[in-house]
Amino acid sequence: MNRADEQVVEAVEAHVRAFFAGHEVESVPYDMGPRRRESVSGLRVLVVGPGPRADSWAYVTAGCASLADDDGHGLEFVMTAPVRDRRFLDLLAMIAFYHCTGARLGPAHSVPIGEPWTPGSSCDHLLVSLPYLHGPDLEHCPLPGGHARILWTLPVTAAEIAYRREHGHEALERLLDEAAIIPTHPFRASVV
């Protein structure tokens, strides 16, 4: 990782630590393994414990914005979860790899996980959305020479993704909002 990439990771980490002041934040290096290491070198996942802003855990990528940027403007991803578990680091690393190797994720995209989000959950996809749980203060992250948007990866069901394909992203978000889902609840019922 070059110095410019390191500065991006440092800026994302500083932004996340400032936003989650009063929370324990751990920066965890994530090695994608020998065949994928170069695609997302230097990736870190920031693990944020419960605290004054939220009683759930948050996992935030640091390193995607510099690898798949558009003139200093990139994306990072956040996932919220009920517990601390290596599983969520792995899911965010999957998202980072997918995004940084050509998929170019953004709001309203989805990614099939290939298995339940957590064992026994009916949520087996991740929906990329605005970080509604945390708001624009987390979403907008200044970087040296640009900025990053931190987008939410929300666990959803295959039926919800099918509904979104037929009715649109906003229609699905309305249903999720009307149902007042608890996004960190691994066993929530599908809204469709």
Side-chain angles (χ1 to χ4, degrees):
M1 178 166 40
N2 65 39
R3 182 62 190 142
D5 292 343
E6 288 174 11
Q7 289 176 326
V8 167
V9 170
E10 290 167 3
V12 171
E13 183 171 343
H15 176 74
V16 168
R17 286 182 185 279
F19 179 82
F20 286 107
H23 293 250
E24 182 180 323
V25 179
E26 180 185 356
S27 180
V28 179
Y30 196 97
D31 186 345
M32 299 290 286
R35 293 187 314 174
R36 296 182 174 164
R37 185 174 294 131
E38 294 306 313
S39 302
V40 195
S41 68
L43 177 68
R44 302 184 85 64
V45 177
L46 306 172
V47 180
V48 182
R53 282 200 177 264
D55 61 357
S56 57
W57 290 80
Y59 299 81
V60 186
T61 61
C64 293
S66 64
L67 295 170
D69 76 5
D70 291 318
D71 299 322
H73 308 293
L75 296 178
E76 298 288 352
F77 302 93
V78 61
M79 175 181 288
T80 53
V83 297
R84 181 180 179 135
D85 193 305
R86 173 74 185 198
R87 168 89 175 132
F88 306 118
L89 277 81
D90 294 341
L91 286 172
L92 272 185
M94 178 188 76
I95 290 291
F97 179 78
Y98 193 70
H99 175 68
C100 293
T101 58
R104 303 304 302 258
L105 298 173
H109 287 130
S110 62
V111 177
I113 300 171
E115 60 189 28
W117 172 57
T118 60
S121 175
S122 60
C123 296
D124 58 0
H125 286 70
L126 295 173
L127 180 67
V128 180
S129 185
L130 299 179
Y132 294 115
L133 285 182
H134 305 297
D137 288 344
L138 178 64
E139 178 186 356
H140 301 288
C141 174
L143 300 176
H147 75 275
R149 290 179 71 197
I150 300 176
L151 298 178
W152 190 17
T153 55
L154 172 66
V156 294
T157 67
E160 290 164 344
I161 292 300
Y163 180 88
R164 184 200 57 156
R165 286 186 184 120
E166 186 174 335
H167 301 283
H169 183 78
E170 288 184 24
L172 174 58
E173 284 193 339
R174 262 193 312 279
L175 279 182
L176 294 168
D177 190 45
E178 289 167 3
I181 67 161
I182 298 171
T184 58
H185 189 302
F187 307 113
R188 73 166 180 83
S190 181
V191 297
V192 292

